Amino acid sequence: VDAQDKITYINTMMAKLLKADRKTSVGQPLDPRDRQPWGDGILKALVGQARGGTAEVTKEIAYQVTGASHHAKMRAFVNGDKTHILIEDVSKEREMEKSFARFVGPSLVDQLKSTGLASFKAERTPMTLLGVCPAEFSFFAERLEPHVLRDFLNDYVRKVVQVAKDSNAAVV
C-alpha cells in the first residue's frame, strides 16, 4: 500500500484471501478490503505500527470460518514509500502442534516450532522406557460393560499423558 493506504500491488493468493479482484484492487483504498473473518481493521493497524518506526510487525490471529478454525500469520514492513503486507495461512502448522502437544512435553513442542521436523533425526541416545498398565486390567476388562471400560481407559490415558507431559517425556 502507498502512503494514502491505496493498494499498489496484490498477488493472486492475497486477492483470493481478501476475496478481491486483482485487477480492480490496484489503486483502491485498503479499508474496504480490511473487513475479514479475522477482524475489521487489522491490516490497517499493522500498516500503522510498521509506519510508526517498528522495522517489521508480525501478528498471528486465530479466527473461525463456517465453524472451522484458521490461523493466519501477518507481517507488515516499510520499504521506501510503500508498506508491504504478507499473510500466511499457518492453520496446518497450528493443528499439527496441537496434535503433537497432546503426547509430548512443552519443550519438545517448542523445539518442533523453532527448528521444524528436521531436528528430529534418528539418533542413538540413552533413555528410560516405562511401560504402564492398570493392575489386573485383563480381569476387569472381561467383566466391565464396554462403555464403562472406554471411560476408564480414556481417563487413565489422559492421566498418563499428563504425567508424561509434566515430566517432559513422550507417550509412544
Side-chain angles (χ1 to χ4, degrees), residues 31-164:
D31 282 347
R33 309 285 187 268
D34 200 8
R35 295 182 189 101
Q36 299 297 325
W38 54 69
D40 292 348
I42 290 180
L43 299 178
K44 186 168 181 136
L46 280 173
V47 167
Q49 289 174 355
R51 287 178 180 156
T54 307
E56 182 176 305
V57 180
T58 302
K59 183 174 184 99
E60 189 165 321
I61 297 174
Y63 60 98
Q64 299 276 324
V65 175
T66 61
S69 293
H70 296 276
H71 297 265
K73 185 176 183 179
M74 302 176 179
R75 293 187 323 137
F77 61 93
V78 177
N79 184 5
D81 63 343
K82 305 255 188 314
T83 305
H84 300 269
I85 304 169
L86 306 171
I87 302 176
E88 177 184 5
D89 183 355
V90 293
S91 301
K92 288 181 182 176
E93 289 87 345
R94 296 304 165 261
E95 194 60 36
M96 186 170 63
E97 287 170 13
K98 184 178 169 185
S99 296
F100 197 59
R102 292 176 48 212
F103 301 103
V104 299
S107 68
L108 284 175
V109 173
D110 291 343
Q111 183 181 355
L112 172 67
K113 286 167 71 173
S114 65
T115 61
L117 288 174
S119 67
F120 291 93
K121 298 179 255 177
E123 61 183 61
R124 292 183 181 269
T125 185
M127 68 174 65
T128 302
L129 296 176
L130 171 66
V132 293
C133 183
E136 300 184 40
F137 177 73
S138 296
F139 174 80
F140 288 110
E142 293 169 356
R143 289 163 179 75
L144 292 174
E145 290 293 318
H147 71 280
V148 174
L149 179 62
R150 178 203 60 217
D151 292 345
F152 169 78
L153 285 174
N154 284 339
D155 186 52
Y156 181 79
V157 168
R158 195 174 304 111
K159 289 176 181 175
V160 168
V161 167
Q162 189 58 53
V163 168

